Amino acid sequence: MHASLEIQDDEELVVLATLGSFPAFDELIRRYRGPITLAAEQIVRSRAVAEEVAQETFLAAFCALPTLDAPGAIGGWLRAIARNLALKTLRRERRCTATDDLEALVKSASAELAVPPDWVARIEQEVIFQALQRLPEDQQEVLYLAAYEDWSVARIAAYLSVPEATVRGRLYRARQAVRHHYNNQNREEELL
């Protein structure tokens, strides 16, 4: 990785990538892979499929990069491409056969039967994951970007095209809901 690319802003990276710099485009992928995968996953509800959609998104974006009018808006543009591709994928996958559904069910059931050595940590992660899944989509997204991608409120606001106050409010409500769900699960386990 080129250290100088890590300190450049998105707009400069887009210009460099448009001029043919593969390292600049690689840096954009590094910065946006997580958020783009999340945007797709919220639609397709599968991490593996979402990762494929993210790859398709970056390929489509690379081909269409010269058509981007506002290089500073790369995050929102990538997100729009990802959401459109995820919806297209979802429509295509709804046409799958019952056999495919049965195979997926068998695979997931056999994976669930294996007991990992770190099962306590995994149970806690599952409780948190369940809480995240219950959040509204807008809260899931800001919490993911803040907690897992370590994005600032300002960067999340720019990416989502919303005011920073909106991001802070969504983060607050999301954290409260996750904390509430986690505490309730712990109380239920203590009663057992």
Side-chain angles (χ1 to χ4, degrees):
M1 181 60 52
H2 296 24
S4 63
L5 291 179
E6 291 179 16
I7 58 172
Q8 290 183 319
D9 67 15
D10 290 349
E11 190 169 355
E12 291 172 318
L13 289 171
V14 170
V15 171
L16 289 172
T18 303
L19 295 174
S21 170
F22 291 115
F25 194 73
D26 285 344
E27 177 63 16
L28 288 168
I29 291 172
R30 188 190 67 74
R31 290 181 185 184
Y32 286 100
R33 174 168 300 190
I36 295 306
T37 303
L38 175 68
E41 189 175 6
Q42 289 176 333
I43 294 170
V44 298
R45 300 287 183 208
S46 163
R47 184 68 176 186
V49 174
E51 288 172 354
E52 290 176 19
V53 169
Q55 287 179 346
E56 290 178 37
T57 298
F58 289 114
L59 179 60
F62 183 77
C63 293
L65 205 52
T67 66
L68 180 60
D69 293 331
I74 185 77
W77 186 65
L78 288 170
R79 185 171 179 255
I81 294 171
R83 292 177 74 81
N84 287 336
L85 288 173
L87 288 168
K88 182 178 174 183
T89 300
L90 190 61
R91 284 191 297 271
R92 185 175 53 233
E93 286 192 356
R94 283 188 179 151
R95 297 182 208 131
C96 73
T97 64
T99 306
D100 293 338
D101 291 341
L102 182 59
E103 287 176 13
L105 181 62
V106 168
K107 283 181 184 176
S108 68
S110 58
E112 288 176 16
L113 293 175
V115 178
D118 59 343
W119 64 275
V120 173
R122 288 196 177 213
I123 289 172
E124 286 181 352
Q125 287 178 341
E126 181 62 27
V127 169
I128 292 170
F129 180 75
Q130 288 172 0
L132 284 171
Q133 294 301 310
R134 293 180 180 186
L135 291 175
E137 195 173 290
D138 59 341
Q139 291 177 18
Q140 281 182 22
E141 194 164 31
V142 296
L143 188 58
Y144 173 83
L145 293 173
Y148 294 102
E149 294 296 327
D150 200 30
W151 281 18
S152 68
V153 169
R155 186 169 184 193
I156 295 169
Y159 174 68
L160 298 175
S161 301
V162 298
E164 288 182 27
T166 301
V167 172
R168 281 192 289 277
R170 289 177 186 173
L171 270 173
Y172 175 78
R173 288 188 298 279
R175 287 177 178 143
Q176 290 296 101
V178 169
R179 191 174 296 120
H180 178 74
H181 180 79
Y182 184 77
N183 289 338
N184 283 346
Q185 287 295 110
N186 284 342
R187 281 190 211 112
E188 288 176 15
E189 288 176 9
E190 288 173 1
L191 294 175
L192 298 176

